[in-house]
Amino acid sequence: MRPSPTVVRTAVVRTAAIAAGIGAMALFGSAGQAAADVAPGSYTSTTSSSGIVLLQRDARVEGDQLVLIGRYPIHRTATGGYVDLFPGHRVILNSDGHGGYRGPAYFGGAVIGAITLTPHR
């Protein structure tokens, strides 16, 4: 008995997503890490896609972790850091020069939106 076309398509999409995620992790994870930090404190996290705000909520940076819905390790970069929210989904936190951070959000190596961390003052 042959699998249905839907099962085959699902398997192909899943395999492609996993492969793209591994490729993105290799690409982003292979760069040398400099000693920069995402500053501890309270922020407003805003995620957007195509200019539309998808989610806005309070966030904290505690040590080397971003605290949103869960706790996510922040990996240092020369411009701030990056966080892997789940396999294949990475957000880049580049310093904006004003105490906040912003950068692209990737899924499977493709830019799917952006994140902004705005400090609470």
Side-chain angles (χ1 to χ4, degrees):
M1 185 159 146
R2 295 174 49 172
S4 73
T6 302
V7 170
V8 171
R9 275 193 302 272
T10 301
V12 168
V13 168
R14 182 178 300 134
T15 301
I18 290 169
I22 290 169
M25 286 185 229
L27 173 68
F28 294 118
S30 65
Q33 303 300 316
D37 267 325
V38 175
S42 296
Y43 295 87
T44 298
S45 171
T46 304
T47 56
S48 61
S49 182
S50 300
I52 299 168
V53 172
L54 302 175
L55 180 64
Q56 193 168 52
R57 64 179 300 128
D58 287 335
R60 295 185 319 278
V61 172
E62 295 177 354
D64 65 348
Q65 292 187 330
L66 175 62
V67 182
L68 280 166
I69 298 167
R71 292 180 167 271
Y72 307 95
I74 300 171
H75 304 275
R76 293 178 179 190
T77 67
T79 59
Y82 70 86
V83 176
D84 290 325
L85 297 171
F86 54 85
H89 184 33
R90 177 171 288 182
V91 294
I92 309 298
L93 303 171
N94 297 317
S95 173
D96 66 7
H98 303 288
Y101 301 86
R102 65 180 60 240
Y106 293 90
F107 183 73
V111 175
I112 59 168
I115 186 168
T116 303
L117 293 181
T118 306
H120 290 174
R121 306 234 185 236

